[in-house]
Amino acid sequence: IPALMEIENLAVIQWAPGDGNPDAGDTCWYPFYKQIRDADKGLFLNLDRKSAIEDADKIIKTFGPEKLYLLFREMSIDEGKSLLHKAERDWRY
């Protein structure tokens, strides 16, 4: 990661844990996210597990919403509405 952070034209890192590893929402990746954020790079995460909304909430509260791009797993209409409500209520900075 340190070598990637030195690339000036690299604006965003897409974190892809790889098959068999914990989802991008897992806190085990937070040290890497911190390195990326400390280098003022954007972070793109694909949140696939059932706890995706809770994972997003924790990530946003830990690292802030700036330059943060989240892709959520397929979800029901009700889950989508819950996500939008949470974003409007809690993720405005």
Side-chain angles (χ1 to χ4, degrees):
I1 290 179
L4 288 174
M5 298 305 98
E6 293 178 16
I7 302 172
E8 276 187 47
N9 292 333
L10 183 64
V12 177
I13 300 291
Q14 179 178 3
W15 190 258
D19 197 31
N21 289 310
D23 178 85
D26 194 284
T27 58
C28 72
W29 305 116
Y30 280 26
F32 299 107
Y33 299 165
K34 181 172 178 359
Q35 289 179 54
I36 293 166
R37 300 301 271 188
D38 286 350
D40 198 32
K41 305 287 186 186
L43 188 57
F44 181 96
L45 304 174
N46 187 355
L47 303 177
D48 284 331
R49 56 189 186 178
K50 286 257 184 212
S51 60
I53 296 172
E54 293 82 14
D55 292 342
D57 190 50
K58 191 169 184 179
I59 289 166
I60 291 167
K61 288 179 178 171
T62 303
F63 300 103
E66 298 83 16
K67 299 180 187 177
L68 182 61
Y69 308 93
L70 302 174
L71 177 65
F72 291 89
R73 65 175 179 78
E74 186 176 313
M75 58 181 67
S76 71
I77 298 272
D78 288 338
E79 288 173 313
K81 287 178 181 177
S82 176
L83 171 62
L84 290 173
H85 177 69
K86 178 140 195 75
E88 289 173 350
R89 185 189 68 222
D90 297 339
W91 298 342
R92 291 180 179 224
Y93 291 88

